Amino acid sequence: GHFPRYTANTVLLCVLNVTGTVISSALAAYGFSRIEWRGREKVFGLALATMMVPFPVVMVPLYALFRALGWVGTLQPLWVGAFFANAFNVFLLRQFFRNIPKELSEAAWIDGCSELRIFWHIILPLCRPALIVVALFTFLGTWNDFLGPLIYLTEQKDYTLALGLQAFQSKSGGTEWHFLMAASTLVILPIVVLFLAAQRHFIEGIAMSGSKT
């Protein structure tokens, strides 16, 4: 009975996370790849180093921070961080942005375009496959996330599908397998459909972000 609510919560989190991650990661990657500034490579190296820090290390400090903000028991801890860029996605997009000829930006600059307009009207349209890859990774990560909701959500009305499925399974001593299988299929189906729909962009984005100029 709660599954429509779980689905709505999960879709909302996916939309917020995909939007936040794509925008913030693209802006950060643009700054690291197309704008010259002092100490750029060192800061980028520091950002990449954060990928080596496992989530369990920051789990307790993050929980303490969100509890101090009064966000435990809400959906906010599960999407606010998406608006602060992700090192892996920044790295992926930076590789892609570096493949775009500098002459395009220079020509637009001479024509009177601001840095933001160059980013929005020239760079982003050319990088659609890479942006789709980032969006897809983020969507899959959010849709399947179990640990995050388990830590921060306290009320059943706020549960996501992954957490709701677990709650359904452990609700009674005897699991109703036919209902559980049906619910599991509903959880997996959008992922399969999305992957098949975006497969061409996904492969193209991965292939092109790995190539060098």
Side-chain angles (χ1 to χ4, degrees), residues 182-200:
S184 301
T185 305
L186 286 173
V187 171
I188 293 165
L189 200 61
I191 296 171
V192 176
V193 171
L194 184 73
F195 186 80
L196 290 173
Q199 192 176 22
R200 184 173 61 83

Side-chain angles (χ1 to χ4, degrees), residues 101-131:
K102 281 269 173 84
E103 290 77 19
L104 280 173
S105 299
E106 286 164 6
W109 187 258
I110 291 164
D111 286 343
C113 276
S114 66
E115 204 71 66
L116 200 61
R117 277 190 71 188
I118 293 169
F119 169 72
W120 190 256
H121 292 292
I122 295 169
I123 304 297
L124 287 191
L126 290 171
C127 293
R128 201 171 69 170
L131 295 172

Side-chain angles (χ1 to χ4, degrees), residues 26-205:
L27 281 167
Y30 184 79
F32 281 126
S33 61
R34 313 288 293 186
I35 301 171
E36 296 287 340
W37 46 281
R38 204 170 148 194
R40 186 178 74 171
E41 299 307 315
K42 287 179 182 175
V43 174
F44 181 65
L46 194 65
L48 283 186
T50 63
M51 289 170 62
M52 292 187 283
V53 181
F55 179 67
V57 172
V58 295
M59 189 165 67
V60 174
L62 270 179
Y63 184 86
L65 172 66
F66 290 134
R67 191 176 62 180
L69 292 169
W71 288 1
V72 172
T74 72
L75 293 174
Q76 281 166 292
L78 301 174
W79 65 265
V80 170
F83 286 83
F84 293 91
N86 171 289
F88 174 75
N89 294 326
V90 171
F91 172 73
L92 191 74
L93 291 174
R94 176 179 174 267
Q95 294 300 101
F96 210 97
F97 288 180
R98 287 176 75 179
N99 289 339
I100 298 167
K102 281 269 173 84
E103 290 77 19
L104 280 173
S105 299
E106 286 164 6
W109 187 258
I110 291 164
D111 286 343
C113 276
S114 66
E115 204 71 66
L116 200 61
R117 277 190 71 188
I118 293 169
F119 169 72
W120 190 256
H121 292 292
I122 295 169
I123 304 297
L124 287 191
L126 290 171
C127 293
R128 201 171 69 170
L131 295 172
I132 288 171
V133 168
V134 169
L136 192 63
F137 277 155
T138 307
F139 180 90
L140 294 176
T142 307
W143 188 270
N144 292 323
D145 187 23
F146 175 74
L147 187 59
L150 181 68
I151 295 167
Y152 298 116
L153 301 181
T154 52
E155 296 196 27
Q156 199 164 356
K157 66 180 177 63
D158 296 323
Y159 280 9
T160 59
L161 278 169
L163 201 57
L165 203 63
Q166 174 64 24
F168 179 79
Q169 186 181 355
S170 57
K171 185 172 64 175
S172 55
T175 303
E176 297 178 78
W177 290 106
H178 53 300
F179 288 135
L180 187 64
M181 289 299 112
S184 301
T185 305
L186 286 173
V187 171
I188 293 165
L189 200 61
I191 296 171
V192 176
V193 171
L194 184 73
F195 186 80
L196 290 173
Q199 192 176 22
R200 184 173 61 83
H201 294 292
F202 181 76
I203 293 164
E204 190 183 337

